[in-house]
């Protein structure tokens, strides 16, 4: 394990926060979508847990994370320590790992120019915040759509950042930066969500055909979604993965885990429950 410092904390709500870890040495190279294992001491032992990195690989100043404090059915040991930590506290970390990374080439070696659609449930948005910033920082011309589902409006972490990236796309033009962001609230009738005027329901319903025969996603991008023009990345609870695959399997999309003999696939996912 390497050593670092908790250099920034921001509570979005009592059980959701943004944390930055500044390494004592330097931020190593990593790929957008990977995770970092963090460690804090508890009863003379080190408690470890992996969290997806939200910062861009081009950011060499710190690692950033959005983390939920798990309290039920039992309090999460590492998240409880993190939410009680202070800026300046020391923390250990292990090198970045994980395979939920951006596909750059097709099985035949050609560049993968398919539209990138990211579906994140709750803190499952985290790897896709890194995706968006990385693709922006490297002037990637592929179209990227980030869809975020949450129960409550105050759980829409990174809403401002992602909205700003979409506004930049509108201002500069799709030929220079092609980015769209949409969110959905699954409990719109709750009092704390009374101001929400966006999409309502589970985020994977963006893939469900409407009365027009097109899905909300197809209406957003302006064409039919096919396995030839789009690759999906999904992260969140298993329910989000299953709900997404219910729609995509019917369109003959296959996952990387079940890729075809020629190595082709259209869905990469990571589940954390």
């Amino acid at each position: 394990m390497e050593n670092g410092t908790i250099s920034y904390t921001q509570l979005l709500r009592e059980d959701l926060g943004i944390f930055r870890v500044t390494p004592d040495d330097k931020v190593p190279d990593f790929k957008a979508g990977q995770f970092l294992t963090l460690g804090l001491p508890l009863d003379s032992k080190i408690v470890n847990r992996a969290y997806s990195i939200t910062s861009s690989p081009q950011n060499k100043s710190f690692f950033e994370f959005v983390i939920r404090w798990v309290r039920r059915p039992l309090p999460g040991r590492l998240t409880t320590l993190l939410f009680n930590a202070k800026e300046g506290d020391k923390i250990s970390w292990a090198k970045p790992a994980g395979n939920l990374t951006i596909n750059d080439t097709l099985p035949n070696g050609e560049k993968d120019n398919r539209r990138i659609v990211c579906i994140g449930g709750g803190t499952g948005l985290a790897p896709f915040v890194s995706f968006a910033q990385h693709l922006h920082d490297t002037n990637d011309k592929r179209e990227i759509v980030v869809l975020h589902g949450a129960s409550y409006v105050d759980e829409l972490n990174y809403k401002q950042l992602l909205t700003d990236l979409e506004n930049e796309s509108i201002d500069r033009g799709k030929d220079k930066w092609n980015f769209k962001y949409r969110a959905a609230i699954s409990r719109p009738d709750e009092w704390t969500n009374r101001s929400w005027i966006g999409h309502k329901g589970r985020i994977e319903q963006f893939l469900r055909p409407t009365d027009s025969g097109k899905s909300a996603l197809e209406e957003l991008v302006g064409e039919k979604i096919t396995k030839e023009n789009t690759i999906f990345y999904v992260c969140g609870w298993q329910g989000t993965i299953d709900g997404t695959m219910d729609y995509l399997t019917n369109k003959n999309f296959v996952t990387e885990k079940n890729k075809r003999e020629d190595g082709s696939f259209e869905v990469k996912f990571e589940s954390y429950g």
Side-chain angles (χ1 to χ4, degrees):
M1 299 283 281
E2 305 285 340
N3 294 315
T5 302
I6 299 174
S7 52
Y8 174 87
T9 63
Q10 177 192 357
L11 281 186
L12 304 174
R13 45 184 286 164
E14 65 177 9
D15 63 347
L16 188 68
I18 289 174
F19 298 82
R20 289 178 184 169
V21 171
T22 300
D24 286 356
D25 188 8
K26 63 179 181 179
V27 173
D29 291 339
F30 68 94
K31 294 182 178 180
Q34 290 192 304
F35 58 80
L36 199 73
T37 298
L38 300 179
L40 285 169
L42 177 68
D43 299 331
S44 74
K45 296 180 181 178
I46 298 294
V47 179
N48 298 316
R49 183 149 184 234
Y51 299 100
S52 293
I53 304 165
T54 63
S55 44
S56 169
Q58 283 66 47
N59 180 348
K60 295 301 184 181
S61 300
F62 52 80
F63 295 110
E64 186 166 292
F65 312 87
V66 58
I67 297 172
R68 182 178 296 282
W69 181 12
V70 179
R71 292 184 289 180
R72 289 193 296 263
L74 293 171
R77 293 189 300 166
L78 198 280
T79 52
T80 298
L81 292 171
L82 263 178
F83 274 76
N84 283 284
K86 300 179 180 64
E87 292 179 4
D89 285 357
K90 302 302 290 184
I91 191 168
S92 57
W93 56 276
K95 65 180 183 180
N99 298 315
L100 188 66
T101 53
I102 299 169
N103 213 58
D104 288 322
T105 56
L106 297 169
N108 62 9
E110 292 179 3
K111 189 176 185 329
D112 189 347
N113 287 314
R114 289 175 293 180
R115 170 188 298 110
I116 294 170
V117 176
C118 304
I119 299 177
T123 54
L125 176 73
F128 308 136
V129 176
S130 184
F131 271 33
Q133 294 183 96
H134 167 68
L135 291 166
H136 177 269
D137 293 347
T138 55
N139 294 312
D140 202 294
K141 299 297 190 289
R142 280 175 285 183
E143 180 179 6
I144 176 171
V145 180
V146 172
L147 304 176
H148 185 204
S151 297
Y152 301 97
V153 171
D154 58 3
E155 293 176 328
L156 293 178
N157 48 82
Y158 293 100
K159 180 173 183 279
Q160 188 63 57
L161 169 69
L162 297 172
T163 300
D164 288 346
L165 285 174
E166 178 168 17
N167 287 336
E168 181 183 338
S169 176
I170 295 169
D171 291 342
R172 290 176 59 193
K174 294 179 182 178
D175 58 322
K176 296 183 175 65
W177 170 235
N178 195 349
F179 181 84
K180 296 178 180 67
Y181 161 67
R182 293 293 182 274
I185 295 297
S186 62
R187 299 181 181 179
D189 297 330
E190 297 273 353
W191 186 83
T192 53
N193 292 330
R194 65 195 183 282
S195 65
W196 182 250
I197 59 172
H199 290 267
K200 298 171 183 177
R202 294 181 60 85
I203 192 62
E204 58 267 25
Q205 290 176 353
F206 264 87
L207 309 183
R208 176 189 291 169
T210 62
D211 293 339
S212 68
K214 299 177 182 177
S215 67
L217 176 59
E218 289 173 328
E219 291 178 348
L220 177 64
V221 301
E223 70 172 355
K224 183 178 177 62
I225 295 290
T226 69
K227 55 186 176 51
E228 288 75 32
N229 65 24
T230 303
I231 181 169
F232 286 85
Y233 298 83
V234 194
C235 184
W237 295 110
Q238 189 61 45
T240 301
I241 313 295
D242 294 342
T244 300
M245 292 311 301
D246 282 346
Y247 294 116
L248 295 181
T249 301
N250 292 332
K251 293 180 176 289
N252 298 317
F253 281 67
V254 302
T255 67
E256 182 185 28
K257 290 180 165 68
N258 297 307
K259 58 188 173 188
R260 302 177 187 88
E261 288 186 11
D262 65 359
S264 63
F265 62 90
E266 296 82 32
V267 188
K268 292 179 82 169
F269 67 86
E270 191 168 87
S271 167
Y272 54 70

